Amino acid sequence: FQWIKGHAGHLGNERADQLALTGTMRPVPDTIDTYVPRNFDIQGAKLSDITQQLAYKAIMKKTQLTYHRSTLCLLDITRFAIEPISKTLETDEAIWRGCRNKDITKNIQMFIYKTLNNAYRIGDFWSPIPAYEHRAKCLTCRDEIENMEHILVLCTDPARTIIWDLAKCIWPTKHGPWPDPNIGIILGCGLISLPQAQNNENARNNARSRQLTMGASRLLRILISESAYLIWVLRCERVIRGTDHSENTIKKRWVNAIDKRLQIDRALASKTRRNNKTTIKVENTWSDIIHDSALQTPKNNWATNLEVLVGIKLPRPSQTEATR
């Protein structure tokens, strides 16, 4: 094909215009053969131009996943457990995407994903295996069949109670009450988003309120995910290794886990080429639960100045008759 300028006096072009005009005036349209020869009907992507991302999307689009019944039950439990907090009924796709939330560390992402797929060898996994039936029951509760819900929210083991009490005590109640942990909230913690109170009179206050709400939501995701994963780790150490954890050890492990997340955030915010949004996100997440080791309140630049020693601020234990 060769392009020529239209309406420039070319004989073939003028004749084509006349035939087009004649065709538009015909009462009955012509039957046009739209068959495309196979050598011109090229579909898909060129192998030389395809990327890994494009190939992965094409494979996932054609892949029809079938979930186990236990996975479908956990997805429904998660969906309805998150709804009262986020005011949204999440889809299955959103729940799976929430497992990869960037506010959750990689090992906890894998923990949540495997729990949703019932991939851990606990509880009923051992029941049909001769000579190993005793592993199906919780060593602490004795007669209770052990599953992930029992381990994280129902077991009478002191470690579980201590960890959730620490998370509840450190949560700033000005952002709302601490949600009672259940298996749905834990598995859907990557989707937790606290509702924002709207003020139609002041747009600037709305923007600030939105930032604070996003920070509080991020803190809640971190507290729930880190606490649940620590309960699982301590349970594995107790059952597999036979390790007994004292109350002081449990508290230190939890404080170290949360403080590690705080220091990682500060390191990211203090980069030479840092983004101001990162600094604001870190400040809105941690400002309500930190303290300066030398001052009662931390300095304004605590997020970006690593020379300022800050850590999480635990509530004072309640006094007893012996300590008063």
Side-chain angles (χ1 to χ4, degrees):
F1 297 96
Q2 182 180 359
W3 177 86
I4 61 170
K5 186 177 181 180
H7 308 288
H10 293 283
L11 180 61
N13 182 259
E14 296 295 334
R15 181 59 180 154
D17 289 343
Q18 294 176 4
L19 291 175
L21 180 62
T22 303
T24 58
M25 295 181 177
R26 297 189 59 175
V28 180
D30 292 332
T31 301
I32 302 175
D33 184 11
T34 58
Y35 172 76
V36 179
R38 295 190 61 183
N39 56 331
F40 288 101
D41 187 16
I42 302 176
Q43 298 182 2
K46 291 183 179 180
L47 190 60
S48 58
D49 296 336
I50 197 170
T51 62
Q52 183 178 1
Q53 181 183 13
L54 184 61
Y56 182 77
K57 286 183 177 180
I59 293 172
M60 292 303 297
K61 188 175 181 180
K62 291 186 177 181
T63 302
Q64 298 294 332
L65 299 177
T66 55
Y67 298 122
H68 195 270
R69 183 170 60 182
S70 60
T71 301
L72 293 175
C73 292
L74 287 174
L75 288 172
D76 280 340
I77 292 173
T78 302
R79 189 179 0 264
F80 290 103
I82 294 297
E83 184 184 12
I85 302 175
S86 300
K87 309 302 180 183
T88 303
L89 193 63
E90 303 290 354
T91 62
D92 290 350
E93 182 181 358
I95 295 173
W96 290 117
R97 192 167 56 247
C99 296
R100 302 191 300 271
N101 190 298
K102 293 182 179 180
D103 296 331
I104 303 174
T105 56
K106 292 294 183 181
N107 53 349
I108 303 180
Q109 290 180 13
M110 184 57 64
F111 167 71
I112 294 175
Y113 178 80
K114 293 176 72 174
T115 301
L116 277 170
N117 283 285
N118 199 25
Y120 286 106
R121 297 182 177 183
I122 55 176
D124 290 331
F125 173 84
W126 300 102
S127 298
I129 303 177
Y132 290 94
E133 300 91 341
H134 62 281
R135 294 189 179 183
K137 295 183 179 180
C138 176
L139 295 179
T140 304
C141 304
R142 299 299 179 183
D143 295 332
E144 294 291 335
I145 296 297
E146 193 177 48
N147 54 32
M148 195 58 73
E149 182 179 14
H150 176 82
I151 294 171
L152 299 181
V153 297
L154 299 176
C155 185
T156 58
D157 182 66
R160 183 196 65 82
T161 306
I162 292 171
I163 290 173
W164 286 126
D165 286 345
L166 287 171
K168 180 179 181 180
C169 290
I170 203 173
W171 170 250
T173 55
K174 70 177 185 179
H175 299 298
W178 170 258
D180 292 331
N182 57 57
I183 190 64
I185 290 178
I186 294 170
L187 297 180
C189 62
L191 293 170
I192 290 179
S193 180
L194 299 176
Q196 176 193 355
Q198 293 290 340
N199 183 4
N200 297 327
E201 298 179 357
N202 195 325
R204 186 175 181 179
N205 288 341
N206 284 338
R208 178 57 180 164
S209 176
R210 181 167 59 253
Q211 291 178 348
L212 293 175
T213 302
M214 292 174 62
S217 300
R218 184 169 183 265
L219 176 63
L220 186 57
R221 290 192 290 267
I222 292 173
L223 291 177
I224 292 176
S225 61
E226 293 288 344
S227 299
Y229 185 67
L230 181 59
I231 293 173
W232 167 249
V233 171
L234 294 179
R235 176 266 175 196
C236 292
E237 292 178 358
R238 184 180 70 255
V239 174
I240 299 173
R241 301 180 186 175
T243 305
D244 291 329
H245 305 94
S246 65
E247 180 178 351
N248 190 40
T249 300
I250 296 170
K251 290 182 178 180
K252 286 183 177 180
R253 292 276 294 269
W254 184 84
V255 170
N256 289 340
I258 304 301
D259 193 63
K260 181 180 178 181
R261 293 298 308 273
L262 168 61
Q263 303 308 329
I264 290 175
D265 275 2
R266 293 182 65 204
L268 293 175
S270 62
K271 284 184 176 181
T272 304
R273 297 181 179 179
R274 61 181 177 269
N275 189 339
N276 190 41
K277 291 183 179 180
T278 303
T279 304
I280 294 175
K281 180 176 69 173
V282 172
E283 291 176 348
N284 292 335
T285 302
W286 301 102
S287 58
D288 291 326
I289 66 169
I290 64 171
H291 75 286
D292 194 328
S293 59
L295 304 173
Q296 189 66 24
T297 57
K299 297 180 180 179
N300 293 332
N301 63 342
W302 63 265
T304 56
N305 187 0
L306 297 182
E307 296 179 358
V308 179
L309 300 178
V310 296
I312 63 173
K313 178 175 60 178
L314 289 175
R316 295 183 62 183
S318 58
Q319 291 185 333
T320 61
E321 292 294 334
T323 59
R324 287 176 183 170

